[in-house]
Amino acid sequence: MAEYLGSLFGGEKEQAPVVAADDDFAEFATPSVVTPSPVGTLSSIPSISAAPTAPPSSFNGPWYAVWERASPSDFKFEGYVAILLCFVIGAHVWGTKRNRAIARKFITSVTPVLAQEFAYIGFDPQGRANTTDTAPADFNPQTALKENHPLEFVSYASGRQNIAFMHTTIKLQRRNNPVAWIGESLISFLFDSLPPPGDNAVITISPFDGQDSGKQGGGYNSKFDNFVWALVNKRDMKRWRDERYDLSLTTTKDWDGLPDWLAVMSESKEIGDTVLFKELKDAVADCQNVLEYLIVTDQPIDKPLTLEQTTPKKRISLKISLPSDEKSAAAIPVLLSAFIRLVDHLVATAHFRPEVLRKVKSVREDEIRKLQKVADEEKSEERMLKRDEEKKSERDRKLRGMTADEQKKFLEKEREKEGKRAMKKQAKRA
């Protein structure tokens, strides 16, 4: 302190001895020079520098005048979100309308055929006949289709000899969801096992199969024999054989009078010769881009797991693609007409020789025997479990009625019996 006061009032101070510093600490060895300031001046007091303040806002308008204190560049993110929402909503609206237009176009193209074959089409609330022999009478196109959702539409027809009803399911592409639509297309492109997305219709006829003959069994009888027969486009033949149990019972052959792109899947050659009549041959000739399969079956699509599922139930199914070109679309009504009249042909001719039916029944009986064996094994296991539970409950009941000494003797006898059984098993194995 004395030295500091001396320096302030002009006094001299002694020089501090110079100490040689190591080169590694030369930077820290040199003392920093402190410039003294005059006592009593404001500069001698340390000051804290204030943070820079933002310039005052020049907006003096009302609080709600957002347009005066903001610019469009402040809402870039909101603009991108609005554009994305407009795209999603617009794509959904366009895809939904497009799918509806495709479904209505298809049902309109086949309406003349349906009106000629059936007395009732669609979902008329009154449930009365709405067609004539040649054209729709009171038929309303709006009631012909029912929209389950934007990807699926259904239709219904009834009122015909030999046919209880015909159900149509139209399944369309995901045009209302572009992301899923593009994803399905890419996945099908990368994996050959997955079909590309497309528009198709599955038409299923349920025949009366003799139920229209009356309770007394007299009069007209629409019954025909049980069998599996199919016309399949070779493009997807392997997929249908793998996916459908009923087609796995058949053998595949090329057939005279059919195009090269078609294959016949049948349980017997005689069945194939009987089912394939001339009108159907002519109808499928121009349907390469339309026909996927035509199946007459009495077996389930999925492999039966119980005996109840093996009960025969006749169905005649037609799956077609809905093409965009007019030439292929014009072949659909002709094919549908032959498909409907196939039922009449089956009722008249599908009554086969006993030798043929014996071969057909043998395949079904083999499957029934396998299921019966599995069912018997399951019942046997259930009986054993039930018997074990009864023995255990009887043992517990006996133990509860014994004293401690009696329980001890009872458990010792059980252990002796278990030991004897184990020794017998070992002796048998040896």
Side-chain angles (χ1 to χ4, degrees):
M1 178 63 70
E3 293 175 358
Y4 179 72
L5 293 175
S7 66
L8 291 176
F9 294 96
E12 295 181 357
K13 64 178 181 179
E14 297 180 0
Q15 297 290 331
V18 179
V19 180
D22 194 359
D23 292 337
D24 293 335
F25 300 95
E27 182 178 353
F28 305 99
T30 305
S32 60
V33 180
V34 180
T35 304
S37 60
V39 178
T41 61
L42 293 176
S43 61
S44 63
I45 302 174
S47 62
I48 300 174
S49 60
T53 59
S57 175
S58 60
F59 176 71
N60 295 322
W63 62 269
Y64 56 81
V66 181
W67 57 88
E68 294 185 9
R69 64 174 183 268
S71 63
S73 61
D74 297 329
F75 300 95
K76 287 183 178 179
F77 178 75
E78 288 81 358
Y80 294 146
V81 172
I83 292 173
L84 180 61
L85 286 176
C86 290
F87 172 75
V88 171
I89 295 173
H92 177 78
V93 173
W94 174 84
T96 302
K97 289 185 176 180
R98 178 60 180 160
N99 281 355
R100 286 173 182 165
I102 292 173
R104 288 173 182 169
K105 181 180 179 181
F106 167 73
I107 203 67
T108 302
S109 67
V110 299
T111 292
V113 177
L114 298 179
Q116 186 176 4
E117 298 290 343
F118 295 94
Y120 175 79
I121 305 172
F123 303 92
D124 190 347
Q126 297 180 1
R128 55 189 174 83
N130 55 8
T131 65
T132 62
D133 293 337
T134 56
D138 299 329
F139 174 66
N140 183 3
Q142 299 298 328
T143 63
L145 283 175
K146 180 183 289 186
E147 181 178 349
N148 290 341
H149 51 77
L151 307 180
E152 183 178 290
F153 297 79
V154 295
S155 183
Y156 176 86
S158 64
R160 188 187 188 280
Q161 190 179 32
N162 299 326
I163 296 177
F165 64 88
M166 188 180 78
H167 186 271
T168 303
T169 302
I170 304 171
K171 294 186 177 181
L172 305 173
Q173 301 179 50
R174 297 181 182 271
R175 294 181 176 86
N176 60 328
N177 190 340
V179 177
W181 192 15
I182 295 172
E184 288 181 353
S185 301
L186 290 176
I187 291 174
S188 63
F189 178 77
L190 296 175
F191 301 97
D192 295 336
S193 59
L194 297 176
D199 304 323
N200 59 73
V202 178
I203 306 170
T204 303
I205 290 177
S206 293
F208 276 118
D209 192 27
Q211 297 179 7
D212 52 350
S213 60
K215 295 182 180 180
Q216 303 300 326
Y220 181 78
N221 193 340
S222 61
K223 191 172 182 61
F224 57 92
D225 292 334
N226 296 329
F227 63 93
V228 178
W229 176 89
L231 276 178
V232 183
N233 196 319
K234 291 182 179 178
R235 178 183 58 222
D236 298 320
M237 180 176 61
K238 184 179 182 302
R239 178 162 69 96
W240 299 127
R241 177 178 286 279
D242 295 339
E243 292 182 2
R244 295 184 61 111
Y245 165 76
D246 50 4
L247 293 185
S248 66
L249 305 176
T250 63
T251 56
T252 306
K253 296 180 180 179
D254 291 333
W255 218 262
D256 294 338
L258 288 178
D260 295 337
W261 54 271
L262 266 180
V264 174
M265 306 177 77
S266 178
E267 296 179 277
S268 170
K269 187 177 184 305
E270 183 175 333
I271 293 176
D273 291 334
T274 302
V275 176
L276 192 59
F277 66 115
K278 185 178 184 305
E279 184 178 352
L280 184 59
K281 280 185 180 181
D282 297 338
V284 299
D286 298 327
C287 296
Q288 183 173 2
N289 298 326
V290 173
L291 178 63
E292 295 192 28
Y293 63 67
L294 191 160
I295 302 174
V296 182
T297 182
D298 68 313
Q299 296 296 298
I301 297 175
D302 300 322
K303 187 174 182 178
L305 302 177
T306 62
L307 291 173
E308 290 77 11
Q309 295 177 357
T310 60
T311 303
K313 183 179 179 181
K314 294 187 179 70
R315 301 176 313 280
I316 306 173
S317 302
L318 173 67
K319 184 171 184 179
I320 56 176
S321 301
L322 304 183
S324 56
D325 59 295
E326 296 297 332
K327 182 180 179 181
S328 299
I332 293 178
V334 179
L335 176 61
L336 180 60
S337 178
F339 168 69
I340 295 172
R341 297 186 181 186
L342 173 62
V343 184
D344 304 332
H345 177 73
L346 294 176
V347 171
T349 61
H351 306 282
F352 305 106
R353 295 181 298 112
E355 293 80 4
V356 177
L357 295 178
R358 193 177 300 116
K359 180 181 178 182
V360 172
K361 289 180 180 179
S362 64
V363 177
R364 290 155 173 72
E365 289 172 353
D366 289 343
E367 188 64 29
I368 291 174
R369 279 193 291 269
K370 293 177 183 177
L371 294 175
Q372 185 66 52
K373 183 179 179 181
V374 173
D376 293 341
E377 290 176 354
E378 291 177 353
K379 289 181 180 179
S380 177
E381 290 178 0
E382 291 177 359
R383 285 195 296 268
M384 291 179 63
L385 290 174
K386 187 177 180 180
R387 187 166 55 249
D388 293 341
E389 289 177 357
E390 290 176 353
K391 288 182 178 179
K392 185 177 182 300
S393 62
E394 180 67 20
R395 174 181 175 276
D396 294 340
R397 187 184 62 79
K398 288 181 179 179
L399 286 173
R400 283 194 298 268
M402 295 179 181
T403 61
D405 293 337
E406 291 174 343
Q407 289 180 357
K408 184 177 180 181
K409 292 179 180 179
F410 182 82
L411 295 174
E412 287 178 355
K413 287 182 179 179
E414 278 191 343
R415 284 194 291 270
E416 290 178 1
K417 290 180 180 179
E418 290 294 334
K420 290 180 180 179
R421 290 196 191 100
M423 291 176 63
K424 288 181 179 179
K425 289 181 179 179
Q426 289 179 358
K428 288 180 180 179
R429 291 175 183 175

